[in-house]
Amino acid sequence: MAKPDDRSDNMEKIAKNIGHTLQNMDEANDFVKAHGNEMSEEEKQQIQEKNQRREQSIEGLRDEIKDEAAFSKTR
């Protein structure tokens, strides 16, 4: 027998993931600011690309929150 779908805390979990991702982006930017003169251009580019992927992830997570909000209104 399958468990019922408990989505009661999904929005909270998604919001927490967004917060962590934003924090990681800030830390990466701070690291480049503090140590950029010691880093190669390739390393800086890799961090920039990773932050771009993080931004895309955040967009997806925000869409998920909208979906969860719509789902909770139907219940």
Side-chain angles (χ1 to χ4, degrees), residues 50-66:
K50 187 162 190 170
N51 274 350
Q52 289 173 346
R53 290 190 300 272
R54 286 175 171 145
E55 286 179 25
Q56 293 170 346
S57 176
I58 288 170
E59 288 177 27
L61 291 169
R62 287 184 174 145
D63 288 342
E64 284 188 47
I65 283 182
K66 290 176 189 173

Side-chain angles (χ1 to χ4, degrees), residues 15-44:
K16 184 185 276 189
N17 286 337
I18 290 172
H20 286 201
T21 303
L22 288 169
Q23 182 178 358
N24 287 339
M25 288 175 66
D26 288 342
E27 288 175 4
N29 288 330
D30 291 345
F31 184 83
V32 171
K33 285 179 186 174
H35 304 285
N37 57 343
E38 304 163 14
M39 299 171 68
S40 70
E41 289 303 313
E42 183 179 348
E43 290 170 319
K44 291 179 204 177

